[in-house]
PDB file of all heavy atoms in Angstrom:
ATOM      1  N   ASN A  21     -17.443  -0.052  43.208  1.00  0.00           N
ATOM      2  CA  ASN A  21     -18.010   0.995  43.995  1.00  0.00           C
ATOM      3  C   ASN A  21     -17.370   0.938  45.501  1.00  0.00           C
ATOM      4  O   ASN A  21     -16.954   1.886  46.143  1.00  0.00           O
ATOM      5  CB  ASN A  21     -19.575   0.880  44.272  1.00  0.00           C
ATOM      6  CG  ASN A  21     -20.139   1.810  45.354  1.00  0.00           C
ATOM      7  OD1 ASN A  21     -20.062   3.053  45.064  1.00  0.00           O
ATOM      8  ND2 ASN A  21     -20.492   1.354  46.352  1.00  0.00           N
ATOM      9  N   ARG A  22     -17.261  -0.333  45.976  1.00  0.00           N
ATOM     10  CA  ARG A  22     -16.801  -0.581  47.472  1.00  0.00           C
ATOM     11  C   ARG A  22     -15.342  -0.543  47.481  1.00  0.00           C
ATOM     12  O   ARG A  22     -14.628  -1.167  46.714  1.00  0.00           O
ATOM     13  CB  ARG A  22     -17.448  -1.793  47.926  1.00  0.00           C
ATOM     14  CG  ARG A  22     -17.309  -2.174  49.336  1.00  0.00           C
ATOM     15  CD  ARG A  22     -17.856  -1.161  50.253  1.00  0.00           C
ATOM     16  NE  ARG A  22     -19.355  -1.110  50.314  1.00  0.00           N
ATOM     17  CZ  ARG A  22     -20.053  -0.210  50.927  1.00  0.00           C
ATOM     18  NH1 ARG A  22     -19.387   0.873  51.546  1.00  0.00           N
ATOM     19  NH2 ARG A  22     -21.254  -0.102  50.963  1.00  0.00           N
ATOM     20  N   ALA A  40     -18.239  -5.661  54.698  1.00  0.00           N
ATOM     21  CA  ALA A  40     -18.901  -7.004  54.624  1.00  0.00           C
ATOM     22  C   ALA A  40     -19.282  -7.102  53.021  1.00  0.00           C
ATOM     23  O   ALA A  40     -20.390  -6.928  52.682  1.00  0.00           O
ATOM     24  CB  ALA A  40     -20.171  -7.043  55.395  1.00  0.00           C
ATOM     25  N   SER A  41     -18.320  -7.679  52.313  1.00  0.00           N
ATOM     26  CA  SER A  41     -18.625  -7.613  50.923  1.00  0.00           C
ATOM     27  C   SER A  41     -17.871  -8.863  50.247  1.00  0.00           C
ATOM     28  O   SER A  41     -16.738  -9.052  50.326  1.00  0.00           O
ATOM     29  CB  SER A  41     -18.099  -6.348  50.181  1.00  0.00           C
ATOM     30  OG  SER A  41     -17.833  -6.583  48.909  1.00  0.00           O
ATOM     31  N   GLY A  42     -18.743  -9.692  49.669  1.00  0.00           N
ATOM     32  CA  GLY A  42     -18.092 -10.891  48.963  1.00  0.00           C
ATOM     33  C   GLY A  42     -17.230 -10.344  47.808  1.00  0.00           C
ATOM     34  O   GLY A  42     -16.035 -11.037  47.582  1.00  0.00           O
ATOM     35  N   LEU A  43     -17.520  -9.383  47.133  1.00  0.00           N
ATOM     36  CA  LEU A  43     -16.655  -8.923  46.025  1.00  0.00           C
ATOM     37  C   LEU A  43     -15.309  -8.567  46.594  1.00  0.00           C
ATOM     38  O   LEU A  43     -14.321  -8.847  45.946  1.00  0.00           O
ATOM     39  CB  LEU A  43     -17.279  -7.710  45.407  1.00  0.00           C
ATOM     40  CG  LEU A  43     -16.815  -6.938  44.333  1.00  0.00           C
ATOM     41  CD1 LEU A  43     -17.908  -6.109  43.547  1.00  0.00           C
ATOM     42  CD2 LEU A  43     -15.791  -5.963  44.781  1.00  0.00           C
ATOM     43  N   VAL A  44     -15.323  -7.769  47.655  1.00  0.00           N
ATOM     44  CA  VAL A  44     -13.968  -7.397  48.226  1.00  0.00           C
ATOM     45  C   VAL A  44     -13.278  -8.646  48.641  1.00  0.00           C
ATOM     46  O   VAL A  44     -12.044  -8.669  48.342  1.00  0.00           O
ATOM     47  CB  VAL A  44     -14.181  -6.354  49.370  1.00  0.00           C
ATOM     48  CG1 VAL A  44     -12.987  -6.079  50.103  1.00  0.00           C
ATOM     49  CG2 VAL A  44     -14.784  -5.160  48.820  1.00  0.00           C
ATOM     50  N   TYR A 102     -26.061   5.646  44.738  1.00  0.00           N
ATOM     51  CA  TYR A 102     -25.951   4.436  45.292  1.00  0.00           C
ATOM     52  C   TYR A 102     -27.247   3.901  46.105  1.00  0.00           C
ATOM     53  O   TYR A 102     -27.653   2.939  45.724  1.00  0.00           O
ATOM     54  CB  TYR A 102     -24.726   4.570  46.567  1.00  0.00           C
ATOM     55  CG  TYR A 102     -24.625   3.356  47.393  1.00  0.00           C
ATOM     56  CD1 TYR A 102     -24.005   2.204  46.922  1.00  0.00           C
ATOM     57  CD2 TYR A 102     -25.000   3.352  48.696  1.00  0.00           C
ATOM     58  CE1 TYR A 102     -23.795   1.134  47.696  1.00  0.00           C
ATOM     59  CE2 TYR A 102     -24.774   2.206  49.564  1.00  0.00           C
ATOM     60  CZ  TYR A 102     -24.256   1.060  49.059  1.00  0.00           C
ATOM     61  OH  TYR A 102     -24.031   0.090  49.806  1.00  0.00           O
ATOM     62  N   ASN A 107     -29.420   0.808  44.558  1.00  0.00           N
ATOM     63  CA  ASN A 107     -30.008  -0.130  45.478  1.00  0.00           C
ATOM     64  C   ASN A 107     -31.398  -0.158  45.456  1.00  0.00           C
ATOM     65  O   ASN A 107     -32.027  -1.088  46.076  1.00  0.00           O
ATOM     66  CB  ASN A 107     -29.318   0.204  46.893  1.00  0.00           C
ATOM     67  CG  ASN A 107     -27.944  -0.267  46.982  1.00  0.00           C
ATOM     68  OD1 ASN A 107     -27.486  -1.173  46.296  1.00  0.00           O
ATOM     69  ND2 ASN A 107     -27.146   0.419  47.749  1.00  0.00           N
ATOM     70  N   TRP A 111     -30.828  -3.112  42.136  1.00  0.00           N
ATOM     71  CA  TRP A 111     -30.833  -4.295  42.946  1.00  0.00           C
ATOM     72  C   TRP A 111     -32.125  -5.099  43.093  1.00  0.00           C
ATOM     73  O   TRP A 111     -32.106  -6.250  42.734  1.00  0.00           O
ATOM     74  CB  TRP A 111     -30.431  -3.908  44.430  1.00  0.00           C
ATOM     75  CG  TRP A 111     -30.178  -5.003  45.450  1.00  0.00           C
ATOM     76  CD1 TRP A 111     -31.150  -5.524  46.214  1.00  0.00           C
ATOM     77  CD2 TRP A 111     -29.053  -5.866  45.602  1.00  0.00           C
ATOM     78  NE1 TRP A 111     -30.645  -6.490  46.956  1.00  0.00           N
ATOM     79  CE2 TRP A 111     -29.433  -6.713  46.630  1.00  0.00           C
ATOM     80  CE3 TRP A 111     -27.742  -5.755  44.958  1.00  0.00           C
ATOM     81  CZ2 TRP A 111     -28.451  -7.748  46.982  1.00  0.00           C
ATOM     82  CZ3 TRP A 111     -26.843  -6.700  45.472  1.00  0.00           C
ATOM     83  CH2 TRP A 111     -27.214  -7.662  46.410  1.00  0.00           C
ATOM     84  N   ASP A 157     -19.406  -4.993  38.718  1.00  0.00           N
ATOM     85  CA  ASP A 157     -20.818  -4.951  39.259  1.00  0.00           C
ATOM     86  C   ASP A 157     -21.738  -3.778  38.636  1.00  0.00           C
ATOM     87  O   ASP A 157     -21.333  -3.013  37.994  1.00  0.00           O
ATOM     88  CB  ASP A 157     -20.831  -4.838  40.790  1.00  0.00           C
ATOM     89  CG  ASP A 157     -21.703  -6.020  41.280  1.00  0.00           C
ATOM     90  OD1 ASP A 157     -22.472  -6.621  40.653  1.00  0.00           O
ATOM     91  OD2 ASP A 157     -21.612  -6.197  42.657  1.00  0.00           O
ATOM     92  N   PHE A 158     -22.945  -3.867  39.225  1.00  0.00           N
ATOM     93  CA  PHE A 158     -24.037  -3.067  38.673  1.00  0.00           C
ATOM     94  C   PHE A 158     -23.938  -1.660  39.028  1.00  0.00           C
ATOM     95  O   PHE A 158     -24.727  -0.820  38.481  1.00  0.00           O
ATOM     96  CB  PHE A 158     -25.413  -3.667  39.252  1.00  0.00           C
ATOM     97  CG  PHE A 158     -25.377  -3.702  40.756  1.00  0.00           C
ATOM     98  CD1 PHE A 158     -26.208  -2.589  41.398  1.00  0.00           C
ATOM     99  CD2 PHE A 158     -24.786  -4.510  41.621  1.00  0.00           C
ATOM    100  CE1 PHE A 158     -26.293  -2.583  42.775  1.00  0.00           C
ATOM    101  CE2 PHE A 158     -24.932  -4.515  42.924  1.00  0.00           C
ATOM    102  CZ  PHE A 158     -25.631  -3.557  43.573  1.00  0.00           C
ATOM    103  N   HIS A 159     -23.118  -1.152  39.968  1.00  0.00           N
ATOM    104  CA  HIS A 159     -22.933   0.165  40.211  1.00  0.00           C
ATOM    105  C   HIS A 159     -22.354   1.019  39.113  1.00  0.00           C
ATOM    106  O   HIS A 159     -22.635   2.187  38.967  1.00  0.00           O
ATOM    107  CB  HIS A 159     -22.080   0.490  41.473  1.00  0.00           C
ATOM    108  CG  HIS A 159     -22.387  -0.438  42.598  1.00  0.00           C
ATOM    109  ND1 HIS A 159     -21.933  -1.574  42.881  1.00  0.00           N
ATOM    110  CD2 HIS A 159     -23.409  -0.115  43.709  1.00  0.00           C
ATOM    111  CE1 HIS A 159     -22.434  -2.116  43.935  1.00  0.00           C
ATOM    112  NE2 HIS A 159     -23.302  -1.290  44.422  1.00  0.00           N
ATOM    113  N   HIS A 185     -21.687  -9.306  39.390  1.00  0.00           N
ATOM    114  CA  HIS A 185     -21.743 -10.330  40.554  1.00  0.00           C
ATOM    115  C   HIS A 185     -23.155 -10.645  40.872  1.00  0.00           C
ATOM    116  O   HIS A 185     -23.186 -11.504  41.809  1.00  0.00           O
ATOM    117  CB  HIS A 185     -21.111  -9.632  41.634  1.00  0.00           C
ATOM    118  CG  HIS A 185     -19.549  -9.402  41.487  1.00  0.00           C
ATOM    119  ND1 HIS A 185     -18.688 -10.594  41.761  1.00  0.00           N
ATOM    120  CD2 HIS A 185     -18.810  -8.443  41.057  1.00  0.00           C
ATOM    121  CE1 HIS A 185     -17.499 -10.128  41.545  1.00  0.00           C
ATOM    122  NE2 HIS A 185     -17.449  -8.907  40.919  1.00  0.00           N
ATOM    123  N   ILE A 186     -24.264  -9.935  40.353  1.00  0.00           N
ATOM    124  CA  ILE A 186     -25.491 -10.202  40.829  1.00  0.00           C
ATOM    125  C   ILE A 186     -26.178 -10.967  39.767  1.00  0.00           C
ATOM    126  O   ILE A 186     -25.741 -11.145  38.646  1.00  0.00           O
ATOM    127  CB  ILE A 186     -26.282  -9.003  41.275  1.00  0.00           C
ATOM    128  CG1 ILE A 186     -26.495  -8.011  40.128  1.00  0.00           C
ATOM    129  CG2 ILE A 186     -25.527  -8.394  42.498  1.00  0.00           C
ATOM    130  CD1 ILE A 186     -27.305  -6.835  40.450  1.00  0.00           C
ATOM    131  N   ARG A 293     -25.397 -10.170  54.886  1.00  0.00           N
ATOM    132  CA  ARG A 293     -25.834  -8.714  55.165  1.00  0.00           C
ATOM    133  C   ARG A 293     -27.304  -8.774  55.458  1.00  0.00           C
ATOM    134  O   ARG A 293     -28.070  -9.587  55.010  1.00  0.00           O
ATOM    135  CB  ARG A 293     -25.519  -7.924  53.998  1.00  0.00           C
ATOM    136  CG  ARG A 293     -24.002  -7.750  53.654  1.00  0.00           C
ATOM    137  CD  ARG A 293     -23.714  -6.894  52.471  1.00  0.00           C
ATOM    138  NE  ARG A 293     -24.338  -7.502  51.191  1.00  0.00           N
ATOM    139  CZ  ARG A 293     -25.420  -7.100  50.742  1.00  0.00           C
ATOM    140  NH1 ARG A 293     -26.072  -6.028  51.062  1.00  0.00           N
ATOM    141  NH2 ARG A 293     -25.927  -7.702  49.592  1.00  0.00           N
ATOM    142  N   SER A 330     -26.593  -3.240  56.621  1.00  0.00           N
ATOM    143  CA  SER A 330     -26.245  -2.924  55.254  1.00  0.00           C
ATOM    144  C   SER A 330     -27.127  -1.938  54.612  1.00  0.00           C
ATOM    145  O   SER A 330     -28.418  -1.910  54.963  1.00  0.00           O
ATOM    146  CB  SER A 330     -26.334  -4.274  54.496  1.00  0.00           C
ATOM    147  OG  SER A 330     -26.081  -4.176  53.024  1.00  0.00           O
ATOM    148  N   ARG A 331     -26.704  -1.063  53.849  1.00  0.00           N
ATOM    149  CA  ARG A 331     -27.528  -0.036  53.117  1.00  0.00           C
ATOM    150  C   ARG A 331     -28.544   0.593  54.026  1.00  0.00           C
ATOM    151  O   ARG A 331     -29.670   0.642  53.583  1.00  0.00           O
ATOM    152  CB  ARG A 331     -28.007  -0.698  51.840  1.00  0.00           C
ATOM    153  CG  ARG A 331     -27.045  -1.362  51.033  1.00  0.00           C
ATOM    154  CD  ARG A 331     -27.566  -2.199  49.956  1.00  0.00           C
ATOM    155  NE  ARG A 331     -26.401  -2.858  49.158  1.00  0.00           N
ATOM    156  CZ  ARG A 331     -26.591  -3.779  48.232  1.00  0.00           C
ATOM    157  NH1 ARG A 331     -27.736  -4.120  47.865  1.00  0.00           N
ATOM    158  NH2 ARG A 331     -25.432  -4.353  47.732  1.00  0.00           N
TER     159      ARG A 331
HETATM  160  O1  F6P B   1     -23.489  -8.964  45.640  1.00  0.00           O
HETATM  161  C1  F6P B   1     -23.469  -7.725  45.110  1.00  0.00           C
HETATM  162  C2  F6P B   1     -22.724  -6.882  46.023  1.00  0.00           C
HETATM  163  O2  F6P B   1     -22.475  -5.555  45.356  1.00  0.00           O
HETATM  164  C3  F6P B   1     -21.332  -7.389  46.243  1.00  0.00           C
HETATM  165  O3  F6P B   1     -20.458  -7.200  45.313  1.00  0.00           O
HETATM  166  C4  F6P B   1     -21.111  -6.993  47.530  1.00  0.00           C
HETATM  167  O4  F6P B   1     -20.380  -7.996  48.286  1.00  0.00           O
HETATM  168  C5  F6P B   1     -22.360  -6.644  48.252  1.00  0.00           C
HETATM  169  O5  F6P B   1     -23.303  -6.551  47.218  1.00  0.00           O
HETATM  170  C6  F6P B   1     -22.319  -5.585  49.290  1.00  0.00           C
HETATM  171  O6  F6P B   1     -22.948  -4.436  48.901  1.00  0.00           O
HETATM  172  P1  F6P B   1     -22.532  -2.935  49.375  1.00  0.00           P
HETATM  173  O7  F6P B   1     -21.252  -2.654  48.765  1.00  0.00           O
HETATM  174  O8  F6P B   1     -23.545  -2.145  48.872  1.00  0.00           O
HETATM  175  O9  F6P B   1     -22.458  -2.996  50.718  1.00  0.00           O
END
Side-chain angles (χ1 to χ4, degrees):
N21 172 68
R22 186 59 70 192
S41 159
L43 177 159
V44 170
Y102 175 74
N107 290 332
W111 184 263
D157 233 350
F158 61 102
H159 312 90
H185 291 275
I186 63 172
R293 288 181 304 102
S330 182
R331 305 177 186 171

